[in-house]
Amino acid sequence: MDLNLTGRRALVTGSSSGLGAAIAELLAAEGADVVVHGRDEARTREVAEKIGAVAAAIGDLATDEGADAVARVAGEVDVLVNNAGSYEHVGWAEATAAEWLRTYEVNVVSGVRMIQRLVPGMRERGWGRVIQIGGGLASQPIAMQPHYNASLAARHNLAVSLARELKDTGVTSNVVSPGAILVDAVQDLITGLAPERGWGRSWPEIERNAARDFVPNDIGRFGRPGEIAGAVAYLASPYADYISGATIRVDGGTIRSVT
């Protein structure tokens, strides 16, 4: 299926590894002119070269200067995927006010910076896509990582507000909400925990049991980066012209809700 993305220019923030790299790779394979972004220059350029990206943009989006630098390299973008973000594995007692502020700056305000720099051009041209990478913790938060849960909820909320702002412009704003995704760090973690948790020895056994204990879902496994990338590519395409202000959950049924 041709998603008709040939000639569309797309910036994927935080695409020098993991989920962002998978998104950038699929958009490039679908014909989009992809700009890869990261803070580590060597890693970012390596991904850009691997997928045939048109440019590599280096900059820290948690600063105005970094966002300006990335926007200059990105140019006239048709598709903005706000994927960049981070979190620490801490609970309420350890998450200081400074950590809350830093997490909000990195996970929320960085995306706002790119929206403010790139969406006006989309509006002028009469077509564009803004896609936030959110997460199930936005609507079903856990006790751990309260600062991260809250920042995801803000990402979901601002995407809907932006959709209202972009009414009748030809530019849409949506969220792709992943469940637990099997990136390298996650696989290393659960493989290391397997012996003490009694999850088995073979990878299929370990994954099934780890998913049951960590992220119970109807599919019985962790998601794959390519499955998130597929949802992003669809929302970026003309086939999604009539979708705005929506959250597309790609979580195997982890979130138990009809909304």
Side-chain angles (χ1 to χ4, degrees), residues 144-167:
M144 283 295 290
Q145 302 158 208
H147 53 324
Y148 180 58
N149 301 340
S151 72
L152 286 181
R155 280 189 170 197
H156 285 230
N157 188 285
L158 73 85
V160 178
S161 175
L162 182 62
R164 303 292 89 85
E165 166 69 15
L166 294 172
K167 177 183 177 182

Side-chain angles (χ1 to χ4, degrees), residues 47-67:
V47 171
E49 183 177 348
K50 174 187 173 185
I51 70 170
V54 297
I58 316 301
D60 183 356
L61 302 183
T63 69
D64 286 334
E65 296 77 15

Side-chain angles (χ1 to χ4, degrees), residues 153-202:
R155 280 189 170 197
H156 285 230
N157 188 285
L158 73 85
V160 178
S161 175
L162 182 62
R164 303 292 89 85
E165 166 69 15
L166 294 172
K167 177 183 177 182
D168 295 331
T169 65
V171 184
T172 64
S173 170
N174 292 291
V175 179
V176 170
S177 179
I181 305 303
L182 194 68
V183 294
D184 290 342
V186 172
Q187 184 163 358
D188 291 345
L189 173 66
I190 62 179
T191 301
L193 290 173
E196 66 183 73
R197 300 292 178 93
W199 287 338
R201 296 188 178 185
S202 70

